[in-house]
Amino acid sequence: MNNKSLLALLAAVSLVTSTAAFAAQQAASGSDANAAAASTAAGELVEGEVRKIDTANKKITLKHGEIKNLGMPGMTMVFQVKDASLLDKVKVGDKVRFAAEKSNGAIVITELQPAQ
């Protein structure tokens, strides 16, 4: 192998190594940014309307707007609640504001309050 080939090979290895290091650094900082964005989005309350309450199973059916932190469009669906006492704050027909997150494969209401 001549000097030009060796130099080209070393340059290529150096480029690949530095590119991989840069990509790893970007991925690490990007995941922090994504976590911060999800945390911010999770802090935003979503508007909804109570359609059904199932206290025995800790579930609530809500007609809701877009849940941005979950990438979910508006719809009517059943949610589990993190704490059954949240259900004591509302009744069927109430307008509410809530926060939801994915937990163990389920979407769970973590905050629920009557709308003002």
Side-chain angles (χ1 to χ4, degrees), residues 1 3-15:
M1 185 179 277
N3 284 344
K4 274 187 172 179
S5 296
L6 183 58
L7 195 55
L9 179 61
L10 288 174
V13 168
S14 176
L15 178 63

Side-chain angles (χ1 to χ4, degrees), residues 36-48:
S39 174
T40 301
E44 296 175 15
L45 298 180
V46 178
E47 293 186 11

Side-chain angles (χ1 to χ4, degrees), residues 9-76:
L9 179 61
L10 288 174
V13 168
S14 176
L15 178 63
V16 168
T17 304
S18 64
T19 301
F22 178 76
Q25 180 183 12
Q26 288 300 93
S29 67
S31 65
D32 291 344
N34 289 341
S39 174
T40 301
E44 296 175 15
L45 298 180
V46 178
E47 293 186 11
E49 181 180 333
V50 178
R51 296 298 178 123
K52 183 177 177 182
I53 298 173
D54 180 355
T55 52
N57 294 303
K58 292 175 46 174
K59 293 182 180 181
I60 188 168
T61 303
L62 297 174
K63 178 179 180 184
H64 62 82
E66 179 184 9
I67 305 175
K68 292 180 183 178
N69 64 306
L70 298 175
M72 180 182 294
M75 64 180 77
T76 300

